[in-house]
Amino acid sequence: MVATELRVIYGDTDKMGIVYYANYLRFFEAGRNEFIRAKGLRYRDFEELHRLALPVVDAQVSYRSPARYDDLLRVEVRLTEVRRASARFGYRVLRGEELLATGHTVHACVDLDGRVQRMPRALLDRLLPGEDVAT
């Protein structure tokens, strides 16, 4: 698991001062990027080195309590499942110890023309250590 902190900016909120629901997917993305970075990779390097991309093909968010402007959030990210040509990440968004949202994203592994490809072993070797992952 990798945790990332971020502060809610005014532009993340709606007229009521509550984080707009779709912005949780942006929080997930920020956490996922830091997860990949913590494993010694940069997403850009993955695209350039392997000529592959990991587009989101499924996303789900469950909201429990609202985040508000200037809240300091912690986004926890886990790699929860790896298949031949996809990976699933799980997320928890917290304010202190209060759980605000949970969710997941599933990413297909595709070449730059959008054709499904097997996950490269070199990528898996970097992402899997320390993770409790279903395969």
Side-chain angles (χ1 to χ4, degrees), residues 36-37 40-48:
I36 291 169
R37 186 179 307 277
L41 301 168
R42 291 185 324 151
Y43 190 78
R44 175 179 290 168
D45 294 338
F46 173 71
E47 287 180 329
E48 292 173 0

Side-chain angles (χ1 to χ4, degrees), residues 18-45:
I18 294 173
V19 170
Y20 180 67
Y21 73 94
N23 285 329
Y24 285 85
L25 293 171
R26 290 181 51 247
F27 300 161
F28 289 2
E29 181 179 8
R32 187 172 61 251
N33 277 311
E34 293 308 315
F35 177 94
I36 291 169
R37 186 179 307 277
K39 300 294 185 169
L41 301 168
R42 291 185 324 151
Y43 190 78
R44 175 179 290 168
D45 294 338

